[in-house]
Amino acid sequence: MSESRGRRRGHNEGSITPPEKNHGKWKYTITVGVGADGKQKRRSVSAKTKRELMEKANRLRIECGKQSATDKDMTFSDLVKLYMSIKAQEIAASTMKLYNIAIYTLFKGLLPFKVSRITSDMINEILIKGKEQGLATSTIKNYKNKIGAIFNFAVDRDIISKSPMKGTLKQKIERRTLMVLPTEDQVKEMLKRAKEFDDKARKGTRPIYPILLLEVATGLRMGELLALTKADIQGNKIRINKQVTSTGDVKAPKTQSAYRTIAVSQKVLDKVLTYATGSERIFGNCRSLSIDYRFSKFVKENTDILPENFHFHDLRHFHATQLLLKGIGVQNVSRRLGHADVAITLKYYSNYLPQEDERAAELFDML
């Protein structure tokens, strides 16, 4: 074959034109059909390197429904790139971030493997490892669903005949019927150990102590806590008007009642602000998933002082019940928590006031 012509490949594999014949770039061309005028319709892509060209060629062939033998040898990394490039127009940017988080947090080890060689046993091993690392069951399930969508895409495109997600471990999420509430002494010891935990952490790791301290003192939702900026603090008041999503994006609160201003102990604020970063946000540009991971690790190392099955959100419950137990009115507690209705506050916390029930019974001792 003459060097002046594009190198012809097998059926449905298209042709490649070398850089010296295409203005310094590799070019791939494939016939995608015949037009109404009887002429062949072609599509092409160009790239600086042959490797980049083949990645683009793989995507183009699958987009055009032109499967080839090389597609069967596609790596999971190539599949992810293909999926992302095609779905970018259909899926929100925040959802695309979640896919990347799922892949690089838990499934990064699959990237170099050929898609056709990935098995359910390999995926099960990764799921078990994620649990051992302290990832919440709900988080693992979410990540698994994202990866499952990518493999289903591969099946639909005839890259593989069957998804390796079939036969993998199911992530059973146990719904807790009771709140897990620590005692005041447990919370004090938790904060003390959080300082020690931070001291032992790698340099540059986000300290967990100021986050836990402010959570105990405010009962904010994690997203609200992480979204706080220095401008949101005026004296001993904190203004809540935004939240950080699991992907790290800053968005407006979901409900109108979530917009609020609450008073906070000046002593607590002074301590927290000594840890403030140089960025606008007090706790830097961290997201809830990274804090969840750090907190899970902390809890595992301190099971002797914390209740079983203890989660970060339980500190919000601790804050609310402590206020009610110490005589703060339910209306004010509801407003501090950002509940849309006092009924929501009562639904969650009315059963955690045994002293009130005993006192109510004593009122009728005169009978």
Side-chain angles (χ1 to χ4, degrees), residues 56-73:
K56 288 186 175 181
N58 274 337
R59 295 176 204 153
L60 180 61
R61 280 200 306 273
I62 294 175
E63 285 178 28
C64 298
K66 300 290 184 179
Q67 188 61 271
S68 74
T70 55
D71 295 325
K72 299 296 184 183
D73 296 328

Side-chain angles (χ1 to χ4, degrees), residues 13 45 49 81 87 90 106 120-121 134 145 151 174-175 186 190 213 222 251 263-264 315 323 340 344 351 355 362 367:
E13 291 191 21
V45 288
T49 66
K81 290 175 184 175
K87 294 294 182 178
E90 307 171 17
L106 197 57
S120 57
D121 286 341
N145 289 341
F151 282 120
E174 295 182 2
R175 301 294 178 186
Q186 284 177 319
M190 177 197 74
L213 177 62
M222 186 187 288
K251 292 187 175 181
V264 184
L315 294 175
L323 292 180
I344 298 173
N351 291 335
Q355 297 92 330
E362 289 169 6
L367 296 177

Side-chain angles (χ1 to χ4, degrees), residues 177-280:
T177 56
L178 294 175
M179 289 178 190
V180 178
L181 292 175
T183 64
E184 286 187 66
D185 287 341
Q186 284 177 319
V187 168
K188 288 177 182 177
E189 183 63 22
M190 177 197 74
L191 293 172
K192 176 186 171 184
R193 293 197 188 182
K195 281 186 177 181
E196 297 168 358
F197 181 74
D198 289 335
D199 290 340
K200 293 185 293 184
R202 247 181 349 188
K203 187 178 180 181
T205 302
R206 177 79 53 220
I208 199 171
Y209 167 74
I211 295 174
L212 298 183
L213 177 62
L214 193 57
E215 177 60 24
V216 170
T218 63
L220 297 184
R221 300 174 180 94
M222 186 187 288
E224 296 172 339
L225 194 74
L226 298 182
L228 289 175
T229 64
K230 293 162 189 172
D232 292 326
I233 299 178
Q234 299 292 330
N236 73 328
K237 300 287 179 68
I238 285 181
R239 180 180 58 196
I240 299 107
N241 56 12
K242 52 192 169 297
Q243 62 178 341
V244 172
T245 67
S246 58
T247 59
D249 298 316
V250 179
K251 292 187 175 181
K254 291 182 179 179
T255 62
Q256 193 60 39
S257 58
Y259 289 88
R260 60 202 188 278
T261 299
I262 64 171
V264 184
S265 160
Q266 189 64 57
K267 183 180 176 182
V268 168
L269 283 176
D270 290 343
K271 286 182 180 179
V272 170
L273 288 174
T274 62
Y275 290 85
T277 65
S279 64
E280 182 185 1

Side-chain angles (χ1 to χ4, degrees), residues 3-45:
E3 280 294 320
S4 63
R5 298 176 62 189
R7 290 181 225 167
R8 222 171 254 293
R9 294 158 62 80
H11 180 62
N12 275 345
E13 291 191 21
S15 61
I16 295 177
T17 303
E20 59 268 23
K21 300 298 179 182
N22 187 50
H23 309 291
K25 285 189 175 183
W26 289 90
K27 182 180 180 181
Y28 172 84
T29 305
I30 188 172
T31 301
V32 296
V34 179
D37 56 2
K39 294 182 179 179
Q40 289 186 334
K41 295 172 67 178
R42 295 183 176 88
R43 286 185 62 183
S44 62
V45 288

Side-chain angles (χ1 to χ4, degrees), residues 117-164:
R117 297 293 180 88
I118 296 175
T119 66
S120 57
D121 286 341
M122 292 167 67
I123 292 171
N124 280 336
E125 189 175 331
I126 290 172
L127 297 176
I128 292 170
K129 187 177 179 181
K131 192 67 177 175
E132 291 173 347
Q133 289 175 342
L135 289 176
T137 303
S138 57
T139 300
I140 294 174
K141 184 176 181 180
N142 183 281
Y143 289 174
K144 182 184 172 186
N145 289 341
K146 295 287 185 294
I147 299 302
I150 295 175
F151 282 120
N152 287 340
F153 168 85
V155 172
D156 292 342
R157 298 281 174 149
D158 200 31
I159 297 169
I160 51 177
S161 59
K162 178 183 174 183
S163 170

Side-chain angles (χ1 to χ4, degrees), residues 67-80:
Q67 188 61 271
S68 74
T70 55
D71 295 325
K72 299 296 184 183
D73 296 328
M74 182 183 288
T75 65
F76 185 61
S77 176
D78 292 333
L79 175 62
V80 169

